[in-house]
Amino acid sequence: MAGAKERVRVAGREMTLTNLDKIIYPETGTTKADVLAYYAAVAHVLIPAAANRPATRKRWVNGVGTAAKPGEVFFQKNLEDSAPGWLPRAAITHKDRTIFYPLVNDPATLTWFGQINSLEIHVPQWQVDSHGNQLNPDRLVLDLDPGDGAGLAECVEVALLARTILQDVGLDPVPVTSGSKGIHLYAGLDGTQTSDQISEFAHELARALEADHPDLAVSDMKKSLRKGKVLVDWSQNSSAKTTIVPYSLRGRPSPMVAAPRTWQEVSSPKLQHLDYKAVMRRVKEGRDPFAAVEHGPGHLGGAEQVTHDGGAHQRLERYRSMRDPDATPEPFSGASGNGDTFVIQEHHASRLHFDFRLEHEGVLVSWALPKGVPESGGKNHLAVQTEDHPLDYATFEGTIPKGQYGAGEVTIWDHGTYELEKWINGREVIATLTGSEGGGLGGTKKFALIHTGRGQGRDAEGQWLIHLMDKDHHTFHPRKAPDEDSSDTGEAADDAADDGPVEKEQQEAAGTKSKSSAPLRAADFSPMMATAGTAADLQGSDWQFELKWDGVRALVVADNAKVRIISRNGNDVTATYPELTDRTCWPDGPFVADGEIFAVGPSGKPDFGVLQGRMKLTRPGDVAKARAAIPVRLMLFDLLAHGDEDLRSLPFEKRRQRLEQFHRPSDSPVELSPVLDERIEHLLESAQELGLEGVMAKRTDSRYVSGQRTRTWIKIKLEQTQEVVVGGWRPGKGGRQSSVGSLLVGIPDGGKLRYVGRVGSGFSARELEELRQKVDNLARKTSPFDDVPREDASDARWVTPRLVGEVTFGEWTGSGKLRHPVWRGWRLDKNAEEVVPEA
C-alpha cells in the first residue's frame, strides 16, 4: 500500500483508501497502511468472532498519540451518514431512539473501519437474526482485570481457577490476552438461555472465586477493594454491555491486539500481550485458538454439545418447531453454504405463491410472494417475511404431505447467486440476482425489499414490498399493501390483515362527517402547507409518514360533469395536464382531492427539472406533443370533500381512510401516496438510497386548514432547498454574454424583499434562452431589495419581484445568505408573497 492514496477492491467492493502514510501509532511509527494490512490479514478469523453483532467503535481520527499526550478518541455507536450503502447494519431500538449499528460481516467492512481510523471494535455476546431481532447470547465472557499491585501473572492464576469451574459445568473456555492489562475468558453457549440468566451464572462464578480466594479475586467493582487483586468482571454478559472483539487492535501507544491464546501459552511464565505483528505471524501460521468458541457451543450443566451450524441453530428453531421431520421430506440438517445463494420456489399450497429466499447469516432468509415475482418496476408486490429456512432448502423440490405445514407441491422457479448492495436486518434489502439458464428470472435482475411496518398477526416482522429495479424503473415507489384478499395462504396465511377494525373506524368517521349547509365551491378550497423541519420535531405526537414527491401541488376539483386541476396559487391548469382529468379515472359525483403532480426523469425517480417541460404549456398542440415525451402522474394524499361532505374538520387518520375508500385502482396515472408505517430515521435513509426528495410527516389528529402553513404537517428534506423571488439579474460573460449570468434573489420579509444571494448555475440551455426575455419584460429602475452588497449591485439590472423559483444550497451563512445556491427550476404554481424561509 505504498503511497498516500489507492483505489482497491475488497470482497467485491470498490473503495478509495487515503492518507496511507499517516502515522497512527507515533511511538512505533505504525501507519494507516499497516493498520489496513493487519485487518486484511486477520479478517478471516476476526469476522467469525464479530459477525452479526452490533458493533460499537473507538475511533482516533488523528492517531492514538503517545503515553504522554494521548490522541483524541471518539466512541461511536450510530453508523455515519457517509457510510457506504452496502455496509451491513442492524437497527436496534433503545428506550428513546433507534441506532443503526454496523455489522462486521465481511472484509470490506473491516477495511472501511481502518480507512476512518476506527481501531477498536466492541461487540455484545449476542447476535441479531435476519429479522433484526436480538438472539440469546451464544457465548459467555469473564473480564479478568488486575487492580493496582496486580498484573498479568495474577490474572493467569484466576483464569486457571475459573477454567476449572467452567469445565465442571460443561464449558471449555478460551483465554484472550486483552492487549491492555488483563485476560478475557470466553466460552461458547448453545443459545438456550437469556442474557439475564448467563449474567447471573457469571456473577455467581465471580462470587465463588472471591469466596474461595479472597486474597486474589474480587467480584465487586469498587476500586478501593481491588488493590493487589483481580476483578472478575461478570457484568459484560449483560445484554447492554460490549467487549472488545478478539483480534481487534487497541488504541494504546503501541499497536497491541486482543489476542486469543492457548492454555499452554497462558501457563508460561513468559506470557506477554501481543502486538499486531506477532498476531499476524500467528494467523499466517494457521493458529486460531478462538475457533474453539465459535465451533464448540456448550450448555450450562454439562449437557451434550449441540451440532454447530454457523450460529444458525437459533434462527432455525421456528422452522423446526413447525415441521415434523418424520412426516415431511423438507430438509432439517442446516448444512453450510456459499454465502451468496438465492432460490425462488413455486409453491402450490392452498393458494399458489412464490417463496423468495436469500442466503444470509447461515440461513435462507425467506419471503412469501402472494402475487409472484414483479415483472416490471411499475408495480410493487406484497412480500411477507416468513421463518428462516435451512440452506439445504435451496435445492428442495417435492411434495409436502397433506396435513403438514405448507402442504403442497414445491418446485424451483429459478436459482443462482446474488450480489448484495444493502442489507439492514428486518428493514431493507437490495440485491442483484443472477439466475440459471432457462430460469424464471430470465437472466440478471435487481430487487429491493422494504419493510412497511404494517403487519399484524403472529409475526411482528409484518409486511414488506418487493420492487424490481429494472432499467426503466430504478426508483422504488411503494404502494399500499394489498388487503386480505390478496395476501398469501400457507406460509403467509396468518400474516393477512384483519379488516374488521378498519371498517369500524370508517363507520365512526362517517358518523362524525361534516355536512355542508350550502353546495361546496372550488373557491373555498386552497392547499394546506407544511413547515420544514427535522426528525427532532416529531417528538410527543403520533405521526403518519409518506414519501415527498418532487413535483407541484394540485387540487383536483370535480363536479358531476368534469374534473379540473387547480394549482397552489389558484390558477386553473387543467389544459396543461389533460391526462389527469379523464372523468373515467375518477368516482362519480363532486369531490375535492389534494395531491402532487410529478414527472419521472431518466434515472427513474421524480424529477422536478423534467416537469418544467410541462408546466408552461397550455396550447393543445404543444401539450399533445409533450404528453408523449413527458408523461405525468398524480399522487393523491388527501380528500377534502366528497359529495356534499366537507371532510376538512376530520382528523387526518379519518380522511386517509376516506381517501382509500374513494380511490379506484386502475391503469390511470392517478395513484395513492402510500403511507409507510416505519421509523423516520429508516425512511429517510431509504429515501436517500432511492434518490427521493424526502419524507412528509403528518400528525394523525391534524385537521386540514386551507391556505395555512402549519406544524402538524412537517416536510423533512434530504437536501436543503429554498423558494426564492427574483429581484434582479447580472449580465453573463463569455458564452452567456447575450443572456443572464446570474439571478439576484430574495425572500419576502415584513413587506420588504430580503436579499439572500445570487445564483448562476443549474440552468438548462432552454431556460437560459427564455430567461432574458422573462427578466426584460419585468424591468424596473430601482432595486426591490432592502440591501444588496456593492459587489453584487455594481452591474445589476432590476426587475419587479413576481417570478418565483427554487434553489438547492449548502447552508445559510452567518449574514443570512445562501451558500452555493444551484437553480432547480421555476415555481409557476406559487406567488411571490407565499415564499417563506424553509429553515
Side-chain angles (χ1 to χ4, degrees):
M1 293 187 184
K5 184 175 182 179
E6 186 172 337
R7 186 72 175 169
V8 299
R9 186 175 181 86
V10 180
R13 303 296 180 186
E14 293 276 352
M15 63 185 83
T16 300
L17 306 179
T18 59
N19 300 319
L20 294 174
D21 52 2
K22 182 175 182 177
I23 300 297
I24 304 300
Y25 293 87
E27 291 192 1
T28 58
T30 306
T31 65
K32 180 191 277 192
D34 296 325
V35 169
L36 288 163
Y38 169 73
Y39 275 131
V42 303
H44 66 287
V45 290
L46 186 154
I47 290 170
N52 305 319
R53 304 175 195 274
T56 56
R57 297 156 289 145
K58 287 186 177 181
R59 181 181 178 193
W60 283 264
V61 177
N62 298 310
V64 300
T66 63
K69 189 177 180 181
E72 186 177 12
V73 59
F74 299 91
F75 189 73
Q76 292 188 297
K77 295 183 178 182
N78 220 347
L79 199 57
E80 294 88 336
D81 292 338
S82 59
W86 51 259
L87 197 145
R89 64 200 74 189
I92 308 296
T93 300
H94 300 277
K95 289 182 179 179
D96 58 346
R97 58 178 175 157
T98 296
I99 294 178
F100 289 86
Y101 291 88
L103 301 176
V104 188
N105 288 4
D106 54 59
T109 299
L110 271 180
T111 300
W112 186 76
F113 279 10
Q115 162 61 21
I116 63 172
N117 297 329
S118 290
L119 302 178
E120 287 192 11
I121 306 168
H122 297 247
V123 297
Q125 311 318 315
W126 48 266
Q127 297 179 322
V128 293
D129 67 9
S130 56
H131 301 248
N133 301 319
Q134 177 180 327
L135 299 171
N136 283 337
D138 60 350
R139 63 193 186 202
L140 172 148
V141 65
L142 296 175
D143 180 3
L144 309 181
D145 186 10
D148 291 342
L152 202 54
E154 288 75 15
C155 289
V156 169
E157 288 187 65
V158 176
L160 292 169
L161 294 169
R163 182 193 187 194
T164 300
I165 296 175
L166 290 169
Q167 287 178 326
D168 286 345
V169 296
L171 302 179
D172 193 10
V174 170
V176 175
T177 48
S178 69
S180 177
K181 294 186 295 182
I183 292 175
H184 298 159
L185 288 185
Y186 285 91
L189 302 173
D190 64 2
T192 59
Q193 288 136 314
T194 67
S195 292
D196 288 344
Q197 290 172 317
I198 299 303
S199 290
E200 184 58 32
F201 168 78
H203 196 180
E204 288 301 319
L205 189 155
R207 288 192 186 118
L209 288 169
E210 181 181 37
D212 292 343
H213 307 277
D215 296 331
L216 180 61
V218 62
S219 65
D220 194 310
M221 297 185 186
K222 293 188 181 69
K223 285 191 175 182
S224 58
L225 302 176
R226 294 166 57 180
K227 189 172 183 179
K229 301 179 183 180
V230 174
L231 170 66
V232 182
D233 185 356
W234 53 271
S235 68
Q236 293 185 39
N237 295 285
S238 165
S239 62
K241 293 292 187 71
T242 62
T243 310
I244 191 164
V245 74
Y247 295 106
S248 172
L249 283 165
R250 282 286 195 176
R252 299 180 64 79
S254 296
M256 309 305 291
V257 173
R261 313 296 288 271
T262 65
W263 283 107
Q264 183 178 3
E265 288 180 289
V266 167
S267 302
S268 170
K270 298 181 180 180
L271 178 69
Q272 293 181 325
H273 292 282
L274 300 179
D275 69 4
Y276 80 105
K277 291 181 179 178
V279 173
M280 277 202 298
R281 287 194 297 270
R282 291 163 61 87
V283 170
K284 187 176 181 180
E285 293 167 359
R287 286 192 277 175
D288 179 20
F290 201 74
V293 176
E294 296 302 318
H295 296 282
H299 181 86
L300 289 176
E304 292 184 4
Q305 293 182 345
V306 300
T307 302
H308 178 73
D309 54 13
H313 52 284
Q314 290 191 62
R315 303 185 189 96
L316 293 175
E317 284 181 0
R318 183 179 167 198
Y319 171 90
R320 290 166 175 158
S321 70
M322 299 165 74
R323 293 164 174 83
D324 181 355
D326 296 325
T328 177
E330 295 168 282
F332 282 79
S333 68
S336 60
N338 299 320
D340 61 353
T341 298
F342 87 86
V343 65
I344 302 174
Q345 287 154 321
E346 190 172 330
H347 192 167
H348 291 265
S350 56
R351 270 195 273 178
L352 171 65
H353 66 274
F354 286 73
D355 294 316
F356 187 96
R357 312 190 197 279
L358 301 176
E359 180 183 353
H360 188 62
E361 301 171 357
V363 298
L364 288 174
V365 184
S366 301
W367 292 265
L369 311 182
K371 296 294 185 180
V373 181
E375 297 178 354
S376 75
K379 186 176 183 181
N380 307 313
H381 286 189
L382 173 67
V384 181
Q385 189 168 13
T386 62
E387 71 278 7
D388 295 335
H389 283 51
L391 295 179
D392 313 55
Y393 221 101
T395 58
F396 173 68
E397 288 187 297
T399 301
I400 302 173
K402 188 175 181 180
Q404 298 299 308
Y405 177 75
E409 190 74 21
V410 177
T411 58
I412 292 177
W413 187 75
D414 205 345
H415 66 94
T417 60
Y418 74 92
E419 182 177 349
L420 182 63
E421 182 173 317
K422 186 174 186 180
W423 191 302
I424 304 178
N425 284 359
R427 299 297 181 99
E428 181 179 1
V429 177
I430 299 177
T432 300
L433 279 58
T434 301
S436 59
E437 185 174 354
L441 283 181
T444 298
K445 298 288 176 64
K446 184 176 182 179
F447 292 93
L449 289 129
I450 290 187
H451 181 227
T452 68
R454 299 183 65 189
Q456 300 181 35
R458 180 182 57 204
D459 290 331
E461 293 84 11
Q463 297 176 348
W464 296 55
L465 295 175
I466 184 169
H467 168 74
L468 174 62
M469 303 179 75
D470 61 27
K471 62 182 180 180
D472 298 319
H473 297 85
H474 294 293
T475 302
F476 189 0
H477 298 299
R479 296 173 182 264
K480 178 180 178 288
D483 60 19
E484 184 174 0
D485 289 339
S486 62
S487 63
D488 196 16
T489 55
E491 293 184 353
D494 293 336
D495 295 87
D498 179 5
D499 289 339
V502 174
E503 292 174 353
K504 182 178 179 182
E505 290 182 8
Q506 291 168 347
Q507 292 166 2
E508 291 173 354
T512 59
K513 64 188 178 185
S514 175
K515 286 275 187 180
S516 299
S517 59
L520 299 173
R521 300 180 307 158
D524 296 332
F525 293 85
S526 57
M528 173 175 165
M529 292 164 284
T531 300
T534 67
D537 297 318
L538 308 182
Q539 303 299 322
S541 300
D542 291 329
W543 297 84
Q544 201 158 285
F545 302 114
E546 302 171 42
L547 295 173
K548 191 175 187 309
W549 306 100
D550 194 7
V552 294
R553 195 75 172 274
L555 288 184
V556 185
V557 181
D559 56 23
N560 289 318
K562 62 181 180 180
V563 176
R564 292 185 297 146
I565 308 294
I566 308 299
S567 71
R568 176 175 147 173
N569 54 3
N571 293 326
D572 190 326
V573 293
T574 305
T576 303
Y577 309 108
E579 61 264 60
L580 305 178
T581 61
D582 185 345
R583 203 63 181 85
T584 62
C585 298
W586 300 95
D588 297 332
F591 65 85
V592 181
D594 193 357
E596 187 95 354
I597 298 172
F598 68 93
V600 176
S603 64
K605 65 182 181 181
D607 190 324
F608 184 70
V610 171
L611 185 62
Q612 297 277 303
R614 286 291 300 272
M615 290 171 61
K616 311 163 191 175
L617 306 179
T618 56
R619 290 189 289 189
D622 294 339
V623 172
K625 290 180 182 178
R627 282 184 64 174
I630 311 175
V632 297
R633 302 192 67 81
L634 173 63
M635 195 66 72
L636 290 178
F637 48 70
D638 217 321
L639 185 63
L640 314 188
H642 192 200
D644 63 346
E645 301 173 48
D646 187 341
L647 306 178
R648 288 176 291 181
S649 63
L650 294 178
F652 174 69
E653 191 173 36
K654 305 292 186 184
R655 297 198 311 275
R656 175 71 194 198
Q657 292 173 4
R658 295 293 299 270
L659 177 65
E660 292 178 1
Q661 292 177 332
F662 164 85
H663 178 252
R664 300 188 308 197
S666 67
D667 293 330
S668 75
V670 179
E671 55 187 306
L672 288 184
S673 177
V675 171
L676 302 177
D677 185 12
E678 185 52 78
R679 291 186 176 276
I680 184 62
E681 297 85 359
H682 174 59
L683 290 177
L684 287 171
E685 184 180 8
S686 298
Q688 187 167 36
E689 181 75 28
L690 299 169
L692 301 179
E693 189 183 7
V695 173
M696 287 294 303
K698 300 177 181 179
R699 262 179 44 177
T700 56
D701 61 351
S702 62
R703 271 53 177 177
Y704 194 100
V705 186
S706 286
Q708 293 189 26
R709 188 179 300 275
T710 78
R711 294 198 62 81
T712 58
W713 285 13
I714 301 291
K715 52 185 174 183
I716 305 174
K717 296 183 178 181
L718 293 172
E719 64 177 354
Q720 295 199 77
T721 64
Q722 175 64 54
E723 293 166 7
V724 292
V725 179
V726 178
W729 60 282
R730 298 178 67 187
K733 297 178 181 180
R736 289 167 66 172
Q737 190 169 6
S738 61
S739 183
V740 175
S742 61
L743 294 177
L744 306 184
V745 297
I747 297 174
D749 184 8
K752 297 180 180 180
L753 187 64
R754 178 168 62 87
Y755 180 70
V756 296
R758 53 190 176 90
V759 54
S761 60
F763 298 102
S764 68
R766 185 161 65 175
E767 281 174 328
L768 286 173
E769 290 177 6
E770 299 173 352
L771 201 51
R772 182 61 182 267
Q773 184 177 351
K774 280 181 179 288
V775 294
D776 283 346
N777 290 339
L778 294 173
R780 59 183 276 175
K781 294 182 178 180
T782 59
S783 170
F785 297 107
D786 57 352
D787 184 28
V788 181
R790 182 180 301 174
E791 60 272 19
D792 288 354
S794 60
D795 59 349
R797 317 284 178 86
W798 310 115
V799 300
T800 302
R802 293 179 187 168
L803 299 174
V804 178
E806 188 170 322
V807 299
T808 61
F809 65 103
E811 62 181 352
W812 290 101
T813 68
S815 60
K817 303 296 188 296
L818 299 166
R819 191 185 300 279
H820 307 310
V822 177
W823 188 255
R824 289 195 78 220
W826 295 107
R827 298 302 315 219
L828 304 180
D829 57 328
K830 300 185 180 180
N831 297 324
E833 59 270 18
E834 295 181 88
V835 174
V836 297
E838 292 288 331

